[in-house]
């Protein structure tokens, strides 16, 4: 999650306002939140930093207000940013073409729509049988939205998609350790189309060919717009590190640099996970308690799960008429393993649905 957020700004957790609203409605138990904070401290914070982190963790978890950045905090953030071992979540990954991102995305989407068509369009994509990269490149050379300089740059790229990817890594001076991240950022820019291409590639047994051609198309457009001045150089998240340093500066810890990185990771992603897990823990406890109350009130000899298909209803009605049996409809698991827990038993067991 932290890597996705750093690479493409992807946020999978609920927003701060949504979490606070749930807390104010009593949907998040304060004790569950405290329990999750303690678990995080025990499992994700290095031992030498736990005492210092524990002192500021409640404020980091429960307050959104940003602290003013003092000169001391700014100096600490700059010193931390200068480290060579910065983790990915402390970096920001800007593409060389970010200033023209809307053009890259718009043109990529235009030709992906043409390529993914399956005969519904009145005019099929010319050259579609040659592959996504070749067909899109041929059309781009005649696209009126591109200037002469941009088309001339596109002519420099090799015609082979894999060679075009190597061209991009070389010309944008992508460090070997960031090569995979460079491609991941491009994937995250258009996740819907990437999912469709991945599905189509598996369907056609292309062994990843379509995804590589998608990347080659993005590199082609990136080179056209960014040119030789473009560089892919991940840089430290100075704003986030400065805010983390503002909290750490008050703690006055010997390992201040390491503590800044831990606090930065917590502020940018992990505290949202702590809140969400506390929310789920509260809901889980509520469901178990309400279920136990219903079982005590209406004791049954057996609980049976059936497919939600309407054809299961006659069998369910007959079973419930035979005795104290409770039936429930649920989505079919299609032989997938699942965990279940009975209302009376506290231990978790495994079960396999066979139909």
């Amino acid at each position: 999650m932290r890597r996705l957020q750093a690479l493409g700004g992807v946020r999978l957790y609920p927003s701060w306002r949504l979490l606070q609203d749930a807390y104010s409605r009593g949907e998040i138990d304060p004790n569950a939140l405290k329990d999750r904070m303690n678990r995080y401290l025990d499992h994700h914070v290095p031992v030498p930093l736990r005492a210092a982190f524990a002192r500021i963790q409640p404020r980091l978890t429960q307050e959104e207000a940003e602290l003013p950045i003092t000169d001391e905090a700014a100096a600490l953030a700059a010193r931390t940013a200068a480290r060579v071992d910065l983790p990915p979540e402390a970096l920001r990954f800007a593409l060389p073409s970010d200033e023209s991102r809307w053009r890259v995305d718009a043109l990529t989407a235009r030709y992906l729509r043409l390529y993914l068509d399956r005969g519904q369009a009145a005019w099929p994509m010319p050259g579609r049988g040659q592959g996504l990269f070749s067909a899109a490149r041929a059309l781009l050379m005649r696209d009126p939205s591109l200037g002469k300089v941009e088309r001339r740059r596109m002519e420099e790229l090799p015609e082979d998609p894999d060679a075009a990817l190597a061209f991009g890594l070389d010309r944008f001076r992508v460090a070997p350790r960031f090569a995979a991240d460079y491609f991941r950022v491009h994937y995250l820019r258009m996740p819907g189309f990437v999912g469709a291409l991945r599905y189509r590639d598996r369907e056609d047994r292309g062994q990843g060919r379509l995804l590589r051609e998608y990347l080659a198309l993005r590199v082609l457009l990136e080179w056209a717009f960014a040119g030789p001045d473009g560089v892919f150089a991940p840089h430290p998240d100075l704003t986030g590190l400065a805010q983390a340093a503002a909290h750490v500066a008050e703690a006055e810890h010997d390992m201040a640099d390491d503590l800044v990185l831990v606090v930065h990771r917590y502020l940018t992603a992990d505290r949202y996970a702590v809140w969400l897990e506390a929310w789920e823990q509260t809901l889980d406890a509520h469901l178990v308690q309400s279920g136990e109350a219903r079982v005590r009130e209406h004791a049954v000899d057996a609980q049976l799960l059936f497919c939600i298909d309407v054809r299961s209803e006659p069998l369910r009605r007959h079973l419930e008429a035979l005795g104290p049996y409770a039936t429930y409809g649920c989505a079919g698991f299609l032989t997938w393993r699942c965990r279940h827990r009975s209302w009376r038993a506290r231990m978790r067991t495994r079960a396999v649905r066979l139909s």
Side-chain angles (χ1 to χ4, degrees):
M1 167 58 202
R2 292 192 297 268
R3 194 177 190 90
L4 288 176
Q5 183 168 308
L7 289 173
V10 178
R11 299 189 68 92
L12 300 180
Y13 293 119
S15 66
W16 182 258
R17 173 173 292 184
L18 183 62
L19 293 170
Q20 292 299 304
D21 288 345
Y23 187 80
S24 63
R25 293 193 302 267
E27 296 178 8
I28 301 179
D29 184 2
N31 292 326
L33 182 59
K34 184 177 181 179
D35 176 61
R36 288 295 166 175
M37 289 169 57
N38 291 334
R39 292 191 187 190
Y40 183 86
L41 187 67
D42 293 339
H43 294 91
H44 298 283
V45 180
V47 174
L49 304 176
R50 285 181 186 172
F53 186 82
R55 287 194 292 270
I56 60 177
Q57 187 183 20
R59 183 178 63 205
L60 298 176
T61 304
Q62 300 177 17
E63 298 179 10
E64 189 187 23
E66 298 182 352
L67 296 179
I69 308 301
T70 63
D71 293 341
E72 182 183 2
L76 177 57
R79 188 170 74 242
T80 305
R83 292 176 51 155
V84 296
D85 60 341
L86 281 180
E89 59 266 18
L91 300 173
R92 289 296 171 263
F93 297 80
L95 289 174
S97 61
D98 271 358
E99 293 184 0
S100 304
R101 175 179 175 178
W102 68 271
R103 295 186 67 191
V104 175
D105 291 348
L107 286 170
T108 304
R110 176 187 301 175
Y111 291 105
L112 286 177
R113 286 196 296 266
L114 289 173
Y115 183 82
L116 290 171
D117 170 62
R118 285 191 163 180
Q120 294 178 325
W123 290 355
M125 183 181 193
R128 186 181 181 281
Q130 301 174 9
L132 169 63
F133 180 67
S134 297
R137 177 175 179 161
L139 292 174
L140 280 167
M141 295 303 295
R142 299 173 176 83
D143 195 310
S145 65
L146 296 173
K148 291 182 179 179
V149 174
E150 293 164 343
R151 284 197 288 268
R152 193 176 302 120
R153 286 176 182 163
M154 288 195 298
E155 291 177 348
E156 300 176 17
L157 265 77
E159 295 182 359
D160 179 69
D162 293 336
L165 296 181
F167 177 94
L169 292 176
D170 176 64
R171 295 303 178 91
F172 292 130
R173 300 186 285 282
V174 181
R177 69 189 183 104
F178 290 129
D181 292 324
Y182 172 67
F183 294 138
R184 288 191 186 104
V185 175
H186 278 296
Y187 281 139
L188 291 170
R189 289 296 163 85
M190 310 189 81
F193 275 117
V194 169
L197 291 171
R198 188 166 180 259
Y199 173 81
R200 186 71 61 82
D201 189 77
R202 286 203 309 264
E203 193 177 48
D204 298 338
R205 298 184 179 181
Q207 298 182 339
R209 177 186 59 82
L210 266 181
L211 294 176
R212 295 196 302 274
E213 292 195 20
Y214 161 83
L215 290 174
L217 175 58
R218 298 274 306 188
V219 169
L220 176 72
L221 291 169
E222 188 155 62
W223 178 251
F225 297 135
D229 296 330
V231 178
F232 181 73
H235 57 278
D237 176 21
L238 290 176
T239 302
L241 290 173
Q243 188 55 224
H247 292 278
V248 173
E250 298 180 355
E252 297 182 355
H253 195 272
D254 294 338
M255 301 173 64
D257 294 6
D258 295 320
L259 188 57
V260 166
L261 293 177
V262 172
V263 171
H264 175 270
R265 183 182 66 189
Y266 191 74
L267 284 175
T268 54
D270 289 355
R271 68 169 174 172
Y272 297 95
V274 168
W275 276 89
L276 181 59
E277 289 167 359
W279 195 353
E280 293 172 345
Q281 182 175 326
T282 304
L283 178 61
D284 184 57
H286 173 73
L287 290 175
V288 170
Q289 292 171 3
S290 61
E292 289 176 343
R294 286 198 300 270
V295 169
R296 287 193 297 269
E297 183 178 353
H298 305 287
V300 295
D301 290 343
Q303 295 174 327
L304 301 99
L305 298 179
F306 290 83
C307 179
I308 55 177
D309 193 305
V310 67
R311 292 171 294 182
S312 300
E313 292 185 7
L315 178 58
R316 291 175 57 184
R317 287 199 301 270
H318 284 297
L319 283 173
E320 291 179 349
L322 290 176
Y325 307 126
T327 66
Y328 302 92
C330 66
F333 294 105
L334 304 176
T335 72
W336 283 87
R337 292 184 177 273
C338 64
R339 289 184 179 274
H340 77 278
R341 179 172 60 181
S342 69
W343 295 120
R344 293 189 178 90
R346 291 293 182 181
M347 63 182 296
R348 292 185 180 273
T349 58
R350 287 186 179 273
V352 178
R353 181 178 172 84
L354 299 178
S355 61

